[in-house]
Short mmCIF file of all heavy atoms in Angstrom, two decimals:
data_model
loop_
_atom_site.label_atom_id
_atom_site.label_comp_id
_atom_site.label_asym_id
_atom_site.label_seq_id
_atom_site.Cartn_x
_atom_site.Cartn_y
_atom_site.Cartn_z
N ASP A 115 104.34 91.56 98.22
CA ASP A 115 105.72 91.62 97.69
C ASP A 115 106.71 92.05 98.77
O ASP A 115 107.64 92.81 98.50
CB ASP A 115 105.80 92.60 96.50
CG ASP A 115 104.83 92.24 95.38
OD1 ASP A 115 104.52 91.04 95.22
OD2 ASP A 115 104.38 93.16 94.67
N GLY A 116 106.47 91.61 99.98
CA GLY A 116 107.39 91.93 101.07
C GLY A 116 107.08 93.21 101.82
O GLY A 116 107.66 93.46 102.88
N ASP A 117 106.18 94.05 101.30
CA ASP A 117 105.75 95.25 102.02
C ASP A 117 104.65 94.87 103.00
O ASP A 117 103.68 94.21 102.61
CB ASP A 117 105.18 96.31 101.07
CG ASP A 117 106.25 96.99 100.24
OD1 ASP A 117 107.45 96.72 100.47
OD2 ASP A 117 105.88 97.78 99.35
N THR A 118 104.77 95.30 104.24
CA THR A 118 103.78 94.96 105.25
C THR A 118 102.95 96.18 105.62
O THR A 118 103.50 97.24 105.94
CB THR A 118 104.46 94.40 106.52
OG1 THR A 118 105.22 93.24 106.14
CG2 THR A 118 103.43 94.01 107.58
N LEU A 119 101.62 96.04 105.54
CA LEU A 119 100.70 97.11 105.89
C LEU A 119 99.85 96.67 107.07
O LEU A 119 99.39 95.53 107.11
CB LEU A 119 99.75 97.42 104.72
CG LEU A 119 100.33 97.66 103.34
CD1 LEU A 119 99.19 97.88 102.34
CD2 LEU A 119 101.24 98.88 103.35
N ASP A 120 99.66 97.58 108.03
CA ASP A 120 98.71 97.30 109.12
C ASP A 120 97.30 97.46 108.59
O ASP A 120 97.03 98.39 107.81
CB ASP A 120 98.94 98.27 110.28
CG ASP A 120 100.24 97.98 111.01
OD1 ASP A 120 100.66 96.79 111.04
OD2 ASP A 120 100.85 98.93 111.53
N VAL A 121 96.41 96.58 109.02
CA VAL A 121 95.01 96.68 108.60
C VAL A 121 94.11 96.57 109.81
O VAL A 121 94.47 95.95 110.81
CB VAL A 121 94.65 95.58 107.57
CG1 VAL A 121 95.52 95.68 106.32
CG2 VAL A 121 94.74 94.18 108.16
N ALA A 122 92.94 97.18 109.72
CA ALA A 122 91.95 97.15 110.80
C ALA A 122 90.60 97.45 110.17
O ALA A 122 90.51 97.70 108.96
CB ALA A 122 92.29 98.18 111.87
N GLU A 123 89.58 97.40 111.00
CA GLU A 123 88.24 97.78 110.56
C GLU A 123 88.30 99.06 109.73
O GLU A 123 88.82 100.06 110.18
CB GLU A 123 87.40 98.00 111.82
CG GLU A 123 85.99 98.40 111.59
CD GLU A 123 85.26 98.60 112.92
OE1 GLU A 123 85.60 97.90 113.90
OE2 GLU A 123 84.37 99.46 112.98
N GLY A 124 87.81 98.98 108.51
CA GLY A 124 87.79 100.16 107.64
C GLY A 124 88.91 100.20 106.62
O GLY A 124 88.92 101.08 105.77
N THR A 125 89.87 99.27 106.67
CA THR A 125 90.97 99.27 105.70
C THR A 125 90.55 98.57 104.41
O THR A 125 89.98 97.48 104.45
CB THR A 125 92.21 98.55 106.26
OG1 THR A 125 92.59 99.11 107.50
CG2 THR A 125 93.39 98.64 105.28
N ALA A 126 90.82 99.20 103.28
CA ALA A 126 90.60 98.59 101.97
C ALA A 126 91.94 98.55 101.24
O ALA A 126 92.64 99.56 101.19
CB ALA A 126 89.57 99.39 101.17
N VAL A 127 92.30 97.39 100.70
CA VAL A 127 93.59 97.24 100.01
C VAL A 127 93.34 96.61 98.65
O VAL A 127 92.72 95.57 98.55
CB VAL A 127 94.56 96.34 100.81
CG1 VAL A 127 95.91 96.23 100.09
CG2 VAL A 127 94.74 96.85 102.23
#
Side-chain angles (χ1 to χ4, degrees):
D115 303 331
D117 287 354
T118 301
L119 309 177
D120 290 329
V121 301
E123 179 180 329
T125 305
V127 182

